[in-house]
Every structure is written in structure tokens, then in C-alpha cells.
Amino acid sequence: MPKVFWTLSTMSLWILFVLALPSVVDGSPAVTLRPGSESLVTSAHTNSLPETAEDTEVYKEGGAVIEEGLEADAMATGELNPSHYHAQRAAKVVQHYLNTRHSSPYRRFELLRVHKANAEEVAGSGRKYHLEISLQETTSNTTAKCSAEVVFPVGEGQTPPQVQASCGDLSKINTMVQEEALYQQYKMSHAPLTAHNLPDSDGHIDPSMKPFWYLGGVAASFIMLKESNESTLYNMAQVANVTQLETENNQLRFNYHVLVHDLVSQEIGHWKLLVSWSPPEGVKVLQMEELPKCDCEAPPLNAN
Ligand SMILES: *[C@@H]1O[C@H](CO)[C@@H](O)[C@H](O)[C@H]1NC(C)=O
Ligand SMILES: *[C@@H]1O[C@H](CO)[C@@H](O)[C@H](O)[C@H]1NC(C)=O
Ligand SMILES: *[C@@H]1O[C@H](CO)[C@@H](O)[C@H](O)[C@H]1NC(C)=O
């Protein structure tokens, strides 16, 4: 009898856990990060919560469940638990790095899983992570395995991490036909593209706008790579708007306004980007500018 009881209660706990999970891990961009929605208001509120929240948070991000450790062992070295936040944050940087180099409106990489992670202190330069990870290419739904090294430099102020990655054959993900068709369509277009809220407040993206959501995500990876450090975990939340500009030197050009979410601090950053793209040249971010955190009233000048 005790055994049966144990099994039953374990099972019901497990079911409870599963039932409870969606509200805890609810982090899919379409759901949590919708401007104006209640959940965004909730995230805004968490800004004022004490920092301890970070250590117990569990959320879902790009298909991987990320579980924060309870101990704030900021300096963990040696073999790391692959699901631990140190490993996940470093691996996420590799995702952004690959997106800045190998992506297009039809190719975008998302971190799928960390298989192995190891960290070491390198005197004078910072902390170096050795990672074995899988990434998923979103449009073709193929998986790439990569070995990567990420160094978070020591020192004052934000310095972008340095990344080296070697991945399985990425060229098998061939999107040239779709890219060329999109390029021709928008190069010839007499009505330049404008779009707002990708995804919209229902989490919906019109299929014809998907490539511009991906392109915005790739462009945002340039920001997220530059801004990442060991205490951040960035995710693109939304394209607030995108406007096509005149084609220059055969490059399509777009002004993007994107919302970038740091899942650790729960802050949403607004960025304006000037992005160019053509199939042979790939995606380039020509300008990036972070806008003031919110358009709330300016603080009183005589505050002190
Ligand atoms: C992607 O591929 C995996 C298996 O590799 C499959 O389980 C999943 O359903 C696929 N997803 C989509 C959206 O096609
Ligand atoms: C990491 O970036 C965040 C957000 O920009 C910043 O608040 C924090 O001070 C940075 N941490 C380090 C160690 O540079
Ligand atoms: C883009 O969206 C931002 C944020 O909602 C807004 O401030 C800006 O005016 C919009 N720009 C255009 C061109 O619609």
C-alpha cells in the first residue's frame, strides 16, 4: 500500500507540475512579449522585483527549457550542467553569432540544445566557454551541430563576446530560390514594403510577412551579439515596424524598429536599425541605435 500511495502521489505531483508548467515557462515571443498585453505589463512589473527572482526562474526559449540554478555561483568553472544558465547564455550567443554570418530572410538559427559545456578562467582575457550544441534552422527545420568557443572579456563596460564556431554542413540548407524570388519581388516593387507588429497582438504573422520577421530577427542578432554578456539572455520579441527604403547598389534596404527582450532583467529594449540585404551579399546592419527605455515623462530636472 505505501508503495502504491507513493506512486500515486508522485504521479499527481508530476501531473500538477506539468499542468503548472505552461504558466511558468510561458515565454514564446508571440505570447509573453506582446506590447500592450497583460503579460508585457507583468514583465514590466517584474522590473521592480528584487533580483533574487533571477535565480529561480524557469522559462522556455527557442524550444529549450532553461532552468536557472538556485546557487548564484557566478564563477562556475569546469564541466557545466548543459541546462544551467551559464551554459545556456553562452550558447545563445553562438546562435546570434551564426545569425550574423549565415542567415537571410529564409534562414535563421535557433538554439535547440546544449549537449556539453565547459568554462574556464583565462587570465587577463575573461571566461571562456567550450560548447557542443545543436541549432535548428527555422524555415527548413533542419538541425545543425556545432562546436563553439565563447569568450566573455573582462573589463569595464560592455564588450561583445568573441565567438568561434564550427558547424556541420550549413550549405545543405539551400534557400537560394526563395531568396532570389523575394529579392526580385521587392526590388521591382512600386509600392515599398511597410508592415507593423510582426507578430500582431494575436501572435499572428501573415505568411507573406514571415521573411521580414526573420530578417528582423537576424538583424536583431547583431544587436544581441554586441550587447550580450554573462548576465544577459536576449531574445527578439517583435518587429514594431519595418519600412523599405530605396534600393542602393543592388541592396534592398529597410528601416526596422525592433523590440529586444532580456529574459534575465526582463527589460525590453527598443532599437532602430538600418538593414541591407541581397542574396549574394547577405544581411548587413548599417546602423543601429537604441532608443530611450520608455516614452514615459522625462524625470524632473530638479530631482536632486
Ligand atoms: C521539425 O523536425 C522535427 C524532427 O526533426 C519534427 O519532430 C518537427 O515536428 C518538425 N517541425 C516542423 C514545424 O515541421
Ligand atoms: C551585462 O549587460 C547588462 C545589460 O546591458 C548590464 O546591465 C550589465 O551590467 C552587464 N554586465 C556585465 C558584467 O558587463
Ligand atoms: C515604429 O514603431 C515605434 C514603436 O511603436 C514607433 O515609435 C515609431 O513611430 C514607428 N515608426 C513608423 C515608421 O511607423
Side-chain angles (χ1 to χ4, degrees), residues 140-151:
S140 64
N141 192 27
T142 51
T143 303
K145 282 209 161 182
C146 303
S147 309
E149 277 181 16
V150 178
V151 177

Side-chain angles (χ1 to χ4, degrees), residues 196-197 240-241 243 257 259 270 291:
H196 298 268
N197 300 342
N241 48 59
T243 311
H257 186 122
L259 274 49
H270 283 247
L291 301 172

Side-chain angles (χ1 to χ4, degrees), residues 13-28 56-60 64-67:
L13 268 182
W14 174 241
I15 290 167
L16 262 181
F17 178 67
V18 169
L19 288 177
L21 206 53
S23 61
V24 185
V25 300
D26 179 2
S28 100
T56 50
E57 220 161 48
V58 177
Y59 39 72
K60 191 171 188 300
V65 173
I66 295 159
E67 201 162 343

